[in-house]
Structure formats: structure tokens, C-alpha cells
Amino acid sequence: MHVVRLLLAVLSGALISLQARINGQLAAELGDGTAAAVLSFGSGLLVLSLGLAAVAAARQGLGRVWQDLRQQRLKWWQLLGGCGGATFVLAQGLTVGALGVALFTVAVVAGQVGGGLLVDAKGLGPAGPQRPTVRRAVGAGLVLLAVGVSMADRLGAGFPYLALVLPVVAGVCVSWQQAVNGHVRLSSGSAYTGTFFNFLTGTAALGLVFVVHAVAAGVPAGLPGDPYLYLGGLVGIVFISIAVATVQKLGVLLLGLCTITGQLLGSLALDVFLPHGDAQVSAFTVGGAALALAAVALAAVSGSRTGSGGSRIRAAGRIGTAGRAVSPAERRSAADADASSSRSST
């Protein structure tokens, strides 16, 4: 069963690369990367919204999130994780055609590793502050070197340097997204609810970007006819669901390693066997991807030290000792006990 989880995690990474290819081609067909991003995120939100009628735990989770917001156990900005995903999908639509999926993925991995170090140091995730190890820092530096190796044969006056910046920033945003989404999952007690909020805020953010862009540049003249170009949102739901289902058994570090392995292998396969746009796969691209994979492995196996901080929701008794979501009655009892303890200590 453990091997199955590992393979599923690698598959989820390959699906991320597939989504990048789909959204990149949709953007090329539309001639508008922002419109492609809105269609991708919006289609995922539509599917999840329809599913709310069938998933009772998700509807109950909405009420728990609202309760935690009112009681300030959950901060309003912790609901905005979808904005990180929106940045990632927008980067797909705007840069994959120029960079290719492989170089895009290496740049995203660089942002993810660097952003992960920052997120852990600041304690933005439910586990609280985690001091980075030397191996993690070295791994982050090697990933940046991998980006340089990947584009070594493409440097020159015509290289789209600004296009490379966006996926790096998107990778940082994805690390932040994973951290704050963890708080929402703890609050709601439902992975479905956490995914729903992710797509809700992401679609809203992309909608605003699209409106501003449409006012300045207009809207696409029409929609492409190929049905598979509209599957980006469904692909996103699948790989997010796999991550939620496997993280408890694999742990965040091993899950991240498997996911990035899938991203790198999937991106190279797509650029080799299904090339699109100006994508070029050279020995430098392959070498950069291999170096990035080795760097991520070094960072992932090094472990980390967890600080004393943590989620206020966890501290308030939202999650039981076995990692399960506790009932509303148990949460009220835990909250009353916390309040009683606080009064007796003053």
C-alpha cells in the first residue's frame, strides 16, 4: 500500500505538468493567458460547487470555517491560498509557450524550494516554525543553479528573461498556498472544503485580473473547439485530491519529493514527445532537471526541527490525537476547557 501511495504522489506531479501543457495550449489558442487561467480555475470551481450538494461533510465544513473566523482562530488571509494557485495557473498560461514545460517546471521548483524554506522559517504552516537545516539550504542553492544550467544554451538577446521570473514567483506562491490551505483543512475538518475555498478565492482573484486585462486589451474573439483544452480545472482537482489523500501517510517532505519527481519527469516527456510552441529540449535542459531533482532529494531527506508554535485551531482541540476531525460537541468542550484554564491562570 505504501508503494501505491508513492506512485500516486508521483502521478500527481505528472498531472501538474499535464495541466501546464493544457493551459499553455489553451492560452495559445485564445491568444490570452489570463482568459485561459480563468477558464481553468473557474471550471474546477464549478465542479466543486456542484459537488457540495452531495458532500455533507463539506457543507458542514463551511460552517466551521465561518465559526473559526468569527472567533479569530482562523485569520481571513488564511482563506486566500487560492491566490497562490491562481498565480501558478496564470504563469502557465503566460509562459509555457515561450519556455516549454520542462524549463517552466524547473523554474517553479526553484521557487517552491526557496519559498518552502521561507514559509517554514516564518511558521506560516499549521506545524509552526521549522528551522531549516544546512542540507535544505544547500538544496535550495542547487535548484537555483539548475535553472541556470537549464537555460545555459538559450541565453542571449532573444531569451524571455521576464517570462522566467513569473514561474519562480509562482513556485514561491505555491509554497505559501500549501501552508495556509493546511489551516483551512484543519478548521473545516474536510479536505473537500479546503479545496473548495482554494478554487473560490483563486477564481475570484483571476476574475479581477481578467477584467482589468480585458478593459486594456479586449477579450478573445472566440473559444477553441477542442474539448481537452478545458480539462485543466479537472486535472487540478485530481492532483490536489491525491495530495490530500496521501500526505498523512507519506509526510509533507516525501510527498513533495515524489510530486516534484513527477513534475520533472512529466515535463520532460511532454516536451520530448508532444512539443508545443517554442519549447526546446537540449542536454542542458535535461541536465538542469536532473540537478534540480538531486537538489530536491537532498532538501527533502534532510528533515527539519519543528518549533513550539502551531495552528491555533489544533491547539483549540479541532484535531484529535489520532489526526481525526473532532465533532462540534468535542470542539465546544475543548474550547470551554481552554477558557476555564485561562481564567484559573489569571
Side-chain angles (χ1 to χ4, degrees):
M1 190 63 183
H2 185 67
V3 174
V4 173
R5 295 190 187 97
L6 292 174
L7 293 176
L8 283 174
V10 173
L11 173 63
S12 71
L15 289 175
I16 294 174
S17 298
L18 177 61
Q19 186 196 53
R21 167 53 55 83
I22 292 173
N23 289 344
Q25 188 168 346
L26 177 60
E29 295 283 343
L30 290 170
D32 190 335
T34 58
V38 170
L39 286 173
S40 178
F41 238 87
S43 62
L45 176 62
L46 177 61
V47 171
L48 290 168
S49 298
L50 294 175
L52 281 175
V55 184
R59 297 194 302 273
Q60 295 168 359
L62 294 176
R64 296 185 190 120
V65 169
W66 174 246
Q67 178 185 0
D68 282 340
L69 281 173
R70 293 177 58 188
Q71 298 179 359
Q72 298 185 351
R73 287 199 295 260
L74 186 70
K75 304 297 184 182
W76 65 268
W77 53 267
Q78 291 173 331
L79 294 177
L80 302 181
C83 294
T87 304
F88 178 75
V89 173
L90 185 61
Q92 289 176 341
L94 294 177
T95 65
V96 166
L99 298 175
V101 180
L103 184 54
F104 171 85
T105 300
V106 174
V108 168
V109 168
Q112 281 183 271
V113 173
L117 290 172
L118 180 61
V119 166
D120 282 349
K122 295 296 183 181
L124 297 180
Q130 301 182 44
R131 289 176 289 179
T133 64
V134 174
R135 287 187 181 181
R136 278 194 165 191
V138 171
L142 287 177
V143 169
L144 295 178
L145 178 61
V147 175
V149 171
S150 297
M151 64 182 189
D153 62 330
R154 302 177 60 183
L155 296 178
F159 185 81
Y161 292 98
L162 292 179
L164 190 65
V165 172
L166 187 54
V168 173
V169 173
V172 176
C173 291
V174 167
S175 295
W176 177 80
Q177 173 193 23
Q178 293 170 342
V180 296
N181 279 351
H183 290 283
V184 179
R185 287 196 296 269
L186 287 176
S187 172
S188 64
S190 167
Y192 194 107
T193 304
T195 304
F196 173 78
F197 272 109
N198 182 82
F199 276 82
L200 178 64
T201 57
T203 301
L206 287 171
L208 290 175
V209 173
F210 175 73
V211 169
V212 173
H213 177 75
V215 170
V219 298
L223 296 176
D226 294 329
Y228 77 91
L229 293 177
Y230 304 98
L231 297 178
L234 289 176
V235 172
I237 291 175
V238 173
F239 68 68
I240 290 174
S241 299
I242 290 175
V244 171
T246 59
V247 67
Q248 182 177 358
K249 297 296 184 180
L250 296 180
V252 176
L253 292 178
L254 185 54
L255 173 63
L257 173 59
C258 292
T259 300
I260 292 175
T261 299
Q263 283 181 261
L264 294 171
L265 296 178
S267 64
L268 283 174
L270 286 170
D271 276 352
V272 169
F273 299 108
L274 295 173
H276 174 69
D278 297 329
Q280 297 179 2
V281 178
S282 66
F284 288 99
T285 305
V286 176
L291 180 58
L293 181 57
V296 170
L298 177 66
V301 301
S302 63
S304 61
R305 296 180 180 179
T306 303
S308 58
S311 172
R312 297 176 64 185
I313 300 166
R314 182 183 296 275
R318 175 60 51 85
I319 300 298
T321 56
R324 63 180 178 87
V326 300
S327 68
E330 289 174 304
R331 291 198 309 274
R332 287 194 296 269
S333 177
D336 291 342
D338 288 345
S340 176
S341 175
S342 177
R343 287 194 298 269
S344 65
S345 64
T346 58

